[in-house]
Amino acid sequence: MASDVVMFPGQGSQRLGMGEEVFDAYPRLCDRADEIVGYSLRELCLKDPHGLLNETSYTQQAIYFVSCLMYLAYAEEYGDEPVRCVTGHSLGLYPALFAAGVFDLFEGLEIVSKRGALMQEARDGAMVAVLGPQANDIDEHLVQLEFFDVDVANYNRWDQVVLSAAKPRLDELVPRLEEIGHRCVWLPVSGAFHSRHMEPARREFARFLREREFAPPTKTVVSTTSGRTLGAQHLLEEMVFQLVKPVRWWQTVTYLARTGHKTFEEIGPGRVLTKLSAEILGDESSPQAEPRK
């Protein structure tokens, strides 16, 4: 049964073996994608012989492509019409825009390749997940502790947020957060994503995108940075500023439910968004979700 909201996951959902169920169904698309990226996406996802699957530039290409193929398979099975709305967690914006007809599969892959390369270049930053019932008060705690140069990168759930900053500042902050009862988990990333530290990448990405023309979305696309519906006039702004703004997943899912969306389907590797969204909407039987970045 098709759902009226389709959700696409972001970086962190990659796993060895992802895409196994769809690669054989779309051999021509796979061949063309391999020409664009210069290597075998199928081999990366299924075997990862060179240990690159968790490298940001490769990760983003792989997750985008697998998510798009899985969406094509989903649309073939259920038809495109039942999907009223698409949204995505960070990188997940791009398969969402593909599903909404904003660009084709291969232009999206080119854009994601540039995005991933720029994010891969961002160094000296770090990210920490803050877990527990006090996580909802993190903004207030950052002010009280006078860490004004630390940004909230993700509001994943009321008890799970992610902080992004220069590594030395987080080294100072984490013990102080733990002293007041927070549980902190370092994330395996090389940069301070979704923070002011991504400003150089944002500027370069804007230069890369500004000459491109995008089609108006054929479905409702909901931004997870602003919560608003993205029209054609806001697409470039969303793609560019998403790099320096937080992902507001908790607020977005709550908004969608409040505005009448009842069924949510995650398309892409893993089920982390499914778990997060069920927990946000009150399904207590859901397993504990992993921190997202």
mmCIF file of all heavy atoms in Angstrom, residues 1-6 74-75 77-79 81-83 262-267 271:
data_model
loop_
_atom_site.group_PDB
_atom_site.id
_atom_site.type_symbol
_atom_site.label_atom_id
_atom_site.label_comp_id
_atom_site.label_asym_id
_atom_site.label_seq_id
_atom_site.Cartn_x
_atom_site.Cartn_y
_atom_site.Cartn_z
ATOM 1 N N MET A 1 0.837 -1.198 0.000
ATOM 2 C CA MET A 1 0.000 0.000 0.000
ATOM 3 C C MET A 1 0.874 1.251 0.000
ATOM 4 O O MET A 1 1.810 1.374 0.786
ATOM 5 C CB MET A 1 -0.902 0.022 1.244
ATOM 6 C CG MET A 1 -1.779 1.255 1.347
ATOM 7 S SD MET A 1 -2.832 1.188 2.822
ATOM 8 C CE MET A 1 -3.645 2.782 2.681
ATOM 9 N N ALA A 2 0.612 2.178 -0.918
ATOM 10 C CA ALA A 2 1.402 3.396 -1.008
ATOM 11 C C ALA A 2 1.066 4.333 0.147
ATOM 12 O O ALA A 2 0.004 4.255 0.758
ATOM 13 C CB ALA A 2 1.135 4.087 -2.343
ATOM 14 N N SER A 3 2.000 5.244 0.437
ATOM 15 C CA SER A 3 1.835 6.181 1.539
ATOM 16 C C SER A 3 1.725 7.593 0.996
ATOM 17 O O SER A 3 2.196 7.901 -0.098
ATOM 18 C CB SER A 3 3.030 6.093 2.488
ATOM 19 O OG SER A 3 3.144 4.805 3.033
ATOM 20 N N ASP A 4 1.112 8.493 1.792
ATOM 21 C CA ASP A 4 0.968 9.853 1.284
ATOM 22 C C ASP A 4 2.180 10.719 1.588
ATOM 23 O O ASP A 4 2.303 11.816 1.055
ATOM 24 C CB ASP A 4 -0.324 10.507 1.785
ATOM 25 C CG ASP A 4 -0.394 10.642 3.286
ATOM 26 O OD1 ASP A 4 0.559 10.261 3.975
ATOM 27 O OD2 ASP A 4 -1.418 11.135 3.765
ATOM 28 N N VAL A 5 3.112 10.266 2.442
ATOM 29 C CA VAL A 5 4.393 10.946 2.627
ATOM 30 C C VAL A 5 5.509 9.936 2.379
ATOM 31 O O VAL A 5 5.531 8.873 2.996
ATOM 32 C CB VAL A 5 4.547 11.526 4.045
ATOM 33 C CG1 VAL A 5 5.932 12.160 4.204
ATOM 34 C CG2 VAL A 5 3.464 12.552 4.341
ATOM 35 N N VAL A 6 6.406 10.269 1.483
ATOM 36 C CA VAL A 6 7.592 9.452 1.254
ATOM 37 C C VAL A 6 8.786 10.203 1.818
ATOM 38 O O VAL A 6 9.007 11.376 1.515
ATOM 39 C CB VAL A 6 7.779 9.152 -0.245
ATOM 40 C CG1 VAL A 6 9.174 8.611 -0.515
ATOM 41 C CG2 VAL A 6 6.745 8.143 -0.716
ATOM 42 N N TYR A 74 9.359 1.526 -6.312
ATOM 43 C CA TYR A 74 8.146 1.808 -5.531
ATOM 44 C C TYR A 74 7.050 2.382 -6.431
ATOM 45 O O TYR A 74 5.883 1.956 -6.373
ATOM 46 C CB TYR A 74 8.507 2.795 -4.425
ATOM 47 C CG TYR A 74 7.362 3.246 -3.544
ATOM 48 C CD1 TYR A 74 7.014 2.524 -2.405
ATOM 49 C CD2 TYR A 74 6.666 4.421 -3.818
ATOM 50 C CE1 TYR A 74 5.995 2.949 -1.571
ATOM 51 C CE2 TYR A 74 5.647 4.851 -2.988
ATOM 52 C CZ TYR A 74 5.316 4.116 -1.873
ATOM 53 O OH TYR A 74 4.300 4.551 -1.045
ATOM 54 N N ALA A 75 7.417 3.337 -7.298
ATOM 55 C CA ALA A 75 6.433 3.953 -8.185
ATOM 56 C C ALA A 75 5.888 2.957 -9.195
ATOM 57 O O ALA A 75 4.705 3.014 -9.566
ATOM 58 C CB ALA A 75 7.055 5.150 -8.895
ATOM 59 N N GLU A 77 5.467 -0.198 -8.619
ATOM 60 C CA GLU A 77 4.572 -1.113 -7.912
ATOM 61 C C GLU A 77 3.259 -0.450 -7.525
ATOM 62 O O GLU A 77 2.184 -1.043 -7.676
ATOM 63 C CB GLU A 77 5.259 -1.645 -6.656
ATOM 64 C CG GLU A 77 4.407 -2.638 -5.862
ATOM 65 C CD GLU A 77 5.164 -3.271 -4.724
ATOM 66 O OE1 GLU A 77 6.360 -2.970 -4.543
ATOM 67 O OE2 GLU A 77 4.550 -4.093 -4.005
ATOM 68 N N TYR A 78 3.326 0.780 -7.022
ATOM 69 C CA TYR A 78 2.131 1.425 -6.471
ATOM 70 C C TYR A 78 1.580 2.561 -7.326
ATOM 71 O O TYR A 78 0.476 3.040 -7.072
ATOM 72 C CB TYR A 78 2.434 1.978 -5.081
ATOM 73 C CG TYR A 78 2.756 0.915 -4.065
ATOM 74 C CD1 TYR A 78 4.038 0.792 -3.545
ATOM 75 C CD2 TYR A 78 1.776 0.015 -3.639
ATOM 76 C CE1 TYR A 78 4.339 -0.180 -2.610
ATOM 77 C CE2 TYR A 78 2.066 -0.964 -2.706
ATOM 78 C CZ TYR A 78 3.350 -1.058 -2.193
ATOM 79 O OH TYR A 78 3.644 -2.025 -1.278
ATOM 80 N N GLY A 79 2.354 3.008 -8.301
ATOM 81 C CA GLY A 79 1.942 4.187 -9.045
ATOM 82 C C GLY A 79 2.389 5.442 -8.316
ATOM 83 O O GLY A 79 2.576 5.448 -7.099
ATOM 84 N N GLU A 81 0.798 8.475 -8.210
ATOM 85 C CA GLU A 81 -0.240 9.385 -7.726
ATOM 86 C C GLU A 81 -0.503 9.332 -6.226
ATOM 87 O O GLU A 81 -0.754 10.365 -5.612
ATOM 88 C CB GLU A 81 -1.546 9.134 -8.493
ATOM 89 C CG GLU A 81 -1.505 9.612 -9.935
ATOM 90 C CD GLU A 81 -1.154 11.081 -10.059
ATOM 91 O OE1 GLU A 81 -1.721 11.907 -9.319
ATOM 92 O OE2 GLU A 81 -0.286 11.415 -10.878
ATOM 93 N N PRO A 82 -0.481 8.171 -5.568
ATOM 94 C CA PRO A 82 -0.795 8.157 -4.137
ATOM 95 C C PRO A 82 0.184 8.946 -3.274
ATOM 96 O O PRO A 82 -0.105 9.252 -2.115
ATOM 97 C CB PRO A 82 -0.767 6.669 -3.778
ATOM 98 C CG PRO A 82 -0.967 5.958 -5.068
ATOM 99 C CD PRO A 82 -0.317 6.816 -6.090
ATOM 100 N N VAL A 83 1.369 9.266 -3.796
ATOM 101 C CA VAL A 83 2.357 10.007 -3.019
ATOM 102 C C VAL A 83 2.004 11.485 -3.073
ATOM 103 O O VAL A 83 2.173 12.150 -4.083
ATOM 104 C CB VAL A 83 3.782 9.770 -3.563
ATOM 105 C CG1 VAL A 83 4.792 10.584 -2.757
ATOM 106 C CG2 VAL A 83 4.126 8.292 -3.530
ATOM 107 N N LYS A 262 -1.101 10.999 7.201
ATOM 108 C CA LYS A 262 -1.293 9.882 8.130
ATOM 109 C C LYS A 262 -0.348 8.710 7.889
ATOM 110 O O LYS A 262 -0.066 7.959 8.815
ATOM 111 C CB LYS A 262 -2.747 9.397 8.056
ATOM 112 C CG LYS A 262 -3.765 10.475 8.447
ATOM 113 C CD LYS A 262 -5.170 9.918 8.432
ATOM 114 C CE LYS A 262 -6.203 10.991 8.748
ATOM 115 N NZ LYS A 262 -5.955 11.649 10.038
ATOM 116 N N THR A 263 0.111 8.519 6.668
ATOM 117 C CA THR A 263 0.952 7.360 6.377
ATOM 118 C C THR A 263 2.301 7.823 5.848
ATOM 119 O O THR A 263 2.391 8.660 4.951
ATOM 120 C CB THR A 263 0.286 6.433 5.347
ATOM 121 O OG1 THR A 263 -0.052 7.177 4.169
ATOM 122 C CG2 THR A 263 -0.969 5.810 5.929
ATOM 123 N N PHE A 264 3.378 7.261 6.436
ATOM 124 C CA PHE A 264 4.741 7.648 6.111
ATOM 125 C C PHE A 264 5.509 6.415 5.642
ATOM 126 O O PHE A 264 5.456 5.369 6.274
ATOM 127 C CB PHE A 264 5.443 8.235 7.340
ATOM 128 C CG PHE A 264 4.838 9.525 7.839
ATOM 129 C CD1 PHE A 264 3.629 9.537 8.516
ATOM 130 C CD2 PHE A 264 5.492 10.719 7.635
ATOM 131 C CE1 PHE A 264 3.080 10.725 8.975
ATOM 132 C CE2 PHE A 264 4.958 11.914 8.100
ATOM 133 C CZ PHE A 264 3.748 11.917 8.762
ATOM 134 N N GLU A 265 6.229 6.561 4.539
ATOM 135 C CA GLU A 265 7.008 5.453 3.998
ATOM 136 C C GLU A 265 8.441 5.917 3.763
ATOM 137 O O GLU A 265 8.680 6.937 3.115
ATOM 138 C CB GLU A 265 6.416 4.975 2.671
ATOM 139 C CG GLU A 265 7.184 3.858 1.985
ATOM 140 C CD GLU A 265 7.014 2.512 2.671
ATOM 141 O OE1 GLU A 265 6.017 2.342 3.394
ATOM 142 O OE2 GLU A 265 7.876 1.633 2.463
ATOM 143 N N GLU A 266 9.397 5.181 4.299
ATOM 144 C CA GLU A 266 10.802 5.499 4.069
ATOM 145 C C GLU A 266 11.301 4.722 2.863
ATOM 146 O O GLU A 266 11.127 3.510 2.780
ATOM 147 C CB GLU A 266 11.639 5.140 5.299
ATOM 148 C CG GLU A 266 13.108 5.478 5.151
ATOM 149 C CD GLU A 266 13.885 5.276 6.442
ATOM 150 O OE1 GLU A 266 13.295 4.783 7.427
ATOM 151 O OE2 GLU A 266 15.085 5.611 6.457
ATOM 152 N N ILE A 267 11.910 5.436 1.933
ATOM 153 C CA ILE A 267 12.474 4.807 0.744
ATOM 154 C C ILE A 267 13.957 5.127 0.713
ATOM 155 O O ILE A 267 14.357 6.290 0.683
ATOM 156 C CB ILE A 267 11.774 5.292 -0.539
ATOM 157 C CG1 ILE A 267 10.320 4.817 -0.549
ATOM 158 C CG2 ILE A 267 12.520 4.795 -1.769
ATOM 159 C CD1 ILE A 267 9.543 5.219 -1.770
ATOM 160 N N ARG A 271 16.110 1.853 7.951
ATOM 161 C CA ARG A 271 14.772 2.211 8.439
ATOM 162 C C ARG A 271 14.863 3.220 9.584
ATOM 163 O O ARG A 271 13.965 3.316 10.421
ATOM 164 C CB ARG A 271 14.029 0.955 8.937
ATOM 165 C CG ARG A 271 13.948 -0.174 7.956
ATOM 166 C CD ARG A 271 13.201 0.199 6.702
ATOM 167 N NE ARG A 271 11.788 0.402 6.933
ATOM 168 C CZ ARG A 271 10.949 0.949 6.037
ATOM 169 N NH1 ARG A 271 11.422 1.379 4.884
ATOM 170 N NH2 ARG A 271 9.669 1.085 6.315
#
